[in-house]
Amino acid sequence: MNHLDVVRLLGIDAPTPPEGEGYGQAVPEDFELLVQALPEGVVAGSLLLARPELPVRSLEDFTRPTTDRLADMERALGSREQRLWLPLHPQPGGMVPWGRTGTDGVLLWDTTAADTADWTTVVADDDFQLWLDLPFSASEFVARALLGRAEGIPAFETYDEYEAGSFWKVADDMRATATVLSNPDIGAVEELVTRIRNIGAPGIRPYAEELVDRAVNASSTPFPEDYLAIMREFPGGVVAGMRVFPVARAGWLTEDRLFLQWGELEGRAFGWLTLKSDPQDWRVAYIEPQGTALTHLEDQTFATFLRRRLKGDDSLF
């Protein structure tokens, strides 16, 4: 998908870019064409795009309005002693913000690829603890949001229309989320699913569900139910500093098929020790770098372990 798909879904005309303008040099050309085509406003009741002067001459110019936000990310992660799998701009190959969600999440590019046309999307929640890694351009991400938006949500609103319309649904949803999370008896799966959904970017769940269904159908490997329930919302990325693989990347680390890896942290391989036949009885384990030691967290499921991480409890190791 590209900016023309977004234009088609919105039913607007796509202007012809001026020749010789140098689009695509600093940021993806398709994003610049998307910004050129769209008036200022809110897409799918949830997405707000950066509005740079076109063409973008440098990443420094593009990121200047988000300098404070990037500094907030650095401070928040540093205070939790967390590191991401990718750096943030202005470090070489650092992630670059290109928009935000209605719940104050951040939309970024993974700028690892040398060609800006190959930059993909990363979505962070407002607390910078959930990072979703998506193989989409900005335009494909916006198009999927349009296709996945809830019934009754306009495809596009001006800022004034949004503040009088979809904003109130977003506010209601955030209050409902806060109510759910305030329940002291909330289960680990429900808490994680609620937090992921609170990122508020439509189109993520259908993609995550597709990944799970495809992986389950292609493999004879069983998975615990709590893992599948969470991964139907989370397509892979980082949870509280821990890299969690997409379902298709979960795999046996040893030939004896006793350790099924689903993630990694600081060189440690995290997964389940599969000593019991029922996947619901599997518990989290991790292997130190170079396989020097294995630790079995016999009271921690996938969901309870990630919840502890999100609550700032890394006392397990």
Side-chain angles (χ1 to χ4, degrees):
M1 295 184 187
N2 57 35
H3 74 286
L4 294 176
D5 294 289
V6 177
V7 165
R8 175 180 54 80
L9 289 167
L10 292 175
I12 60 178
D13 295 325
T16 302
E19 294 184 4
E21 286 291 344
Y23 281 15
Q25 295 183 11
V27 300
E29 177 184 35
D30 187 61
F31 175 80
E32 293 179 292
L33 295 174
L34 180 65
V35 171
Q36 184 186 40
L38 267 60
E40 292 191 39
V42 181
V43 179
S46 58
L47 307 182
L48 295 83
L49 279 60
R51 307 295 306 191
E53 182 178 345
L54 301 176
V56 177
R57 302 297 184 185
S58 70
L59 281 180
E60 286 66 32
D61 291 341
F62 184 80
T63 58
R64 191 167 291 117
T66 59
T67 299
D68 291 343
R69 190 66 163 156
L70 285 166
D72 287 344
M73 291 183 199
E74 294 278 16
R75 283 192 294 270
L77 294 170
S79 68
R80 294 172 164 123
E81 299 183 351
Q82 293 175 5
R83 291 180 294 176
L84 290 171
W85 80 105
L86 291 171
L88 292 167
H89 183 81
Q91 297 182 55
M95 292 183 286
V96 172
W98 59 263
R100 64 183 179 87
T101 71
T103 56
D104 211 25
V106 186
L107 309 174
L108 309 99
W109 281 302
D110 172 346
T111 69
T112 303
D115 189 340
T116 60
D118 296 325
W119 289 1
T120 54
T121 295
V122 176
V123 184
D125 71 338
D126 62 337
D127 195 34
F128 315 129
Q129 290 298 281
L130 297 172
W131 298 75
L132 283 60
D133 191 10
L134 302 163
F136 309 140
S137 68
S139 288
E140 181 169 356
F141 182 80
V142 173
R144 284 175 174 266
L146 285 166
L147 293 170
R149 71 188 189 277
E151 184 177 352
I153 296 296
F156 179 85
E157 297 165 285
T158 65
Y159 293 136
D160 287 343
E161 290 170 340
Y162 173 71
E163 290 173 359
S166 296
F167 168 82
W168 297 103
K169 183 182 186 307
V170 172
D172 287 344
D173 289 346
M174 292 178 70
R175 280 192 291 270
T177 295
T179 299
V180 171
L181 294 177
S182 67
N183 178 3
D185 298 320
I186 187 173
V189 172
E190 184 180 7
E191 181 171 344
L192 282 158
V193 166
T194 299
R195 290 190 61 160
I196 296 167
R197 289 181 180 176
N198 188 54
I199 295 173
I204 291 175
R205 188 195 302 178
Y207 173 67
E209 290 176 339
E210 176 187 332
L211 290 183
V212 171
D213 291 342
R214 191 188 309 159
V216 169
N217 290 334
S219 173
S220 60
T221 300
F223 294 106
E225 292 176 1
D226 68 330
Y227 173 73
L228 293 177
I230 291 166
M231 298 306 288
R232 288 187 183 280
E233 309 282 342
F234 187 81
V238 173
V239 178
M242 168 164 287
R243 186 76 162 136
V244 178
F245 303 153
V247 179
R249 277 196 60 195
W252 299 103
L253 194 63
T254 57
E255 291 185 2
D256 56 15
R257 296 172 70 90
L258 289 178
F259 187 91
L260 181 57
Q261 185 180 8
W262 49 257
E264 61 187 17
L265 174 67
E266 298 176 356
R268 300 180 178 97
F270 275 79
W272 298 283
L273 197 58
T274 61
L275 298 174
K276 298 182 179 180
S277 59
D278 187 348
Q280 312 321 318
D281 295 328
W282 294 352
R283 295 298 180 262
V284 170
Y286 63 89
I287 299 176
E288 295 289 348
Q290 288 80 51
T292 55
L294 181 146
T295 301
H296 190 197
L297 308 175
E298 298 183 46
D299 61 340
Q300 296 297 314
T301 66
F302 176 78
T304 61
F305 178 76
L306 290 185
R307 176 166 66 173
R308 288 186 66 154
R309 292 283 307 176
L310 283 169
K311 291 183 178 297
D313 185 347
D314 58 359
S315 61
L316 297 174
F317 49 86

